[in-house]
Amino acid sequence: MFGRKCTLCGGKLNSRGICEECGLDGSKSEKNYKINQGSCDGEPLTHVHRVDYHVPEQKEQKQKKEQNMRGGQGLEKGQPEYRYHEDTAQRRMSKREWEKDRKKSVAGRVVAVITIVLTVVGIGLSVIEKYGPEISSWADTEFGEGKGTAVSEEYQYDPYEYVEKTIPDSGESAEYVLSTGRYIVGTHIPEGNYAAETQDEFDTVQVNDSVNGVYLYEYESKADNHLEDLRLFEGAVVTVICEDTVTLKTDNGQPDMQPGTPNPITETVEVRTGEVKTAGTDFEPGIYDIIASGEAGMADITIYNWEGEEMDTLGIYLGEDATEGMGFKYIVLPEGAVVARTDGGTLSLVPAEAIASEDYLGFYENLY
């Protein structure tokens, strides 16, 4: 052994052939050792490396055989046997499945937030209901007599709280008997303070005034309604829905009412049962009064903007003995508006007598 060196580390061998540095037995043949070799030596570069390399080859073959006999459960037939990491599985997920999981996650968060909000509100209401008298008493002590009652009472909505404009007290007394339809303040009825008299408890008076921020939806059976206090400013849109008529009374109607302009539309258009007609295609865009004849049925009106997006919809039940009367005054139909008569008698689109403006689309842009 003299003069020989260790084939592993290059160290000296002793008289028995044992390396003095690393302890390798140099007396054995080198074929018994595999130095700097791996399990992938001799395999093609495209082969799949087995992660579970610790499984003995015979045992691994036995497992494959048993798996094939069971029909390949867990792995597709012919699929390489290696473990997937979580990120690999995520990449294999289809876009549709990913979107579905994402939406479920978002929906879950939304439901959780709503649940929390409702829970907090419920707790708050329970506290007010249970400890209302104590809160009222504390407020009386801290802020003065009577303040506690205000705290415990329900908040009363004031639709005119932030209105800066006022209507003069002086003016003309007048009454206006209105059927179902829309009326422009300053064109059809003068500006003023009004009281409404309805014939049915569900006859409604609606006010849309985007300039002054007044929005009302009033009817007789509604608690704390404002039918006796309707402040109608110039430009506001008043919508009346009733079977017969609603009467508006004022003692300070303003005399400087602007007269309406003549309607450029002159032809009447008929929409029969089952028909759908479009403004700009089947008839001239403009402002019409819709009059029904015969049996009651639904009239559906849909308004679109210049991009073809839906802006407003109106469904009205018109005809004999209909709860919304025989007609609807002042329907503004810009280009692209669709009128459909789903059932009932024929509808007649009659040009309105006086109009406030020929800006038909602008009417809906300023309505809300």
Side-chain angles (χ1 to χ4, degrees), residues 114-134:
I114 292 174
T115 302
I116 293 171
V117 171
L118 292 178
T119 302
V120 172
V121 171
I123 293 173
L125 292 176
S126 299
V127 170
I128 292 174
E129 182 179 0
K130 185 175 181 179
Y131 299 103
E134 288 84 351

Side-chain angles (χ1 to χ4, degrees), residues 163-169 191 193 212 231 233 252 254:
V163 176
E164 298 180 354
K165 186 178 179 180
T166 59
I167 302 173
D169 294 333
E191 183 179 65
N193 296 330
N212 296 288
R231 305 175 197 179
F233 299 96
N252 66 333
Q254 300 304 297

Side-chain angles (χ1 to χ4, degrees), residues 58-300:
Q58 292 181 352
K59 184 177 180 181
E60 186 177 19
Q61 291 177 355
K62 182 179 179 181
Q63 289 177 349
K64 287 184 178 181
K65 184 177 180 180
E66 290 176 353
Q67 189 176 61
N68 290 334
M69 292 178 66
R70 292 195 302 266
Q73 295 179 356
L75 292 173
E76 297 179 3
K77 189 174 181 179
Q79 180 180 350
E81 187 178 355
Y82 58 93
R83 298 188 181 97
Y84 284 95
H85 293 290
E86 290 183 1
D87 57 344
T88 306
Q90 182 66 27
R91 287 195 297 269
R92 287 173 60 88
M93 183 183 293
S94 69
K95 183 177 180 181
R96 178 180 298 177
E97 292 171 331
W98 183 85
E99 288 288 345
K100 185 176 180 181
D101 286 351
R102 183 181 66 84
K103 289 179 180 179
K104 285 183 178 179
S105 177
V106 172
R109 290 195 295 269
V110 171
V111 170
V113 170
I114 292 174
T115 302
I116 293 171
V117 171
L118 292 178
T119 302
V120 172
V121 171
I123 293 173
L125 292 176
S126 299
V127 170
I128 292 174
E129 182 179 0
K130 185 175 181 179
Y131 299 103
E134 288 84 351
I135 295 173
S136 177
S137 177
W138 173 83
D140 285 338
T141 303
E142 294 292 328
F143 304 108
E145 191 67 28
K147 298 297 183 182
T149 303
V151 171
S152 60
E153 287 182 351
E154 182 180 357
Y155 172 72
Q156 299 295 319
Y157 170 66
D158 181 4
Y160 310 110
E161 183 176 1
Y162 301 105
V163 176
E164 298 180 354
K165 186 178 179 180
T166 59
I167 302 173
D169 294 333
S170 60
E172 299 177 352
S173 296
E175 291 186 8
Y176 299 90
V177 180
L178 309 177
S179 60
T180 295
R182 284 172 172 155
Y183 302 88
I184 312 300
V185 177
T187 299
H188 302 118
I189 57 176
E191 183 179 65
N193 296 330
Y194 287 81
E197 293 183 357
T198 60
Q199 299 186 42
D200 186 86
E201 63 176 341
F202 294 110
D203 290 348
T204 62
V205 177
Q206 305 170 41
V207 178
N208 291 79
D209 185 352
S210 60
V211 174
N212 296 288
V214 178
Y215 301 95
L216 299 173
Y217 189 94
E218 309 300 318
Y219 49 93
E220 184 181 338
S221 60
K222 176 185 176 182
D224 301 322
N225 66 69
H226 293 81
L227 290 175
E228 296 295 323
D229 182 18
L230 299 174
R231 305 175 197 179
L232 305 182
F233 299 96
E234 184 176 351
V237 179
V238 179
T239 303
V240 173
I241 304 293
C242 59
E243 185 174 356
D244 192 4
T245 59
V246 168
T247 301
L248 296 185
K249 297 181 178 181
T250 181
D251 291 326
N252 66 333
Q254 300 304 297
D256 55 347
M257 188 168 68
Q258 299 295 324
T261 60
N263 195 337
I265 308 302
T266 58
E267 295 184 4
T268 297
V269 180
E270 289 191 346
V271 183
R272 296 180 177 82
T273 305
E275 284 189 331
V276 178
K277 292 194 175 183
T278 304
T281 302
D282 302 308
F283 62 91
E284 193 71 18
I287 302 176
Y288 297 84
D289 295 339
I290 296 182
I291 308 298
S293 62
E295 184 183 355
M298 287 299 300
D300 295 317

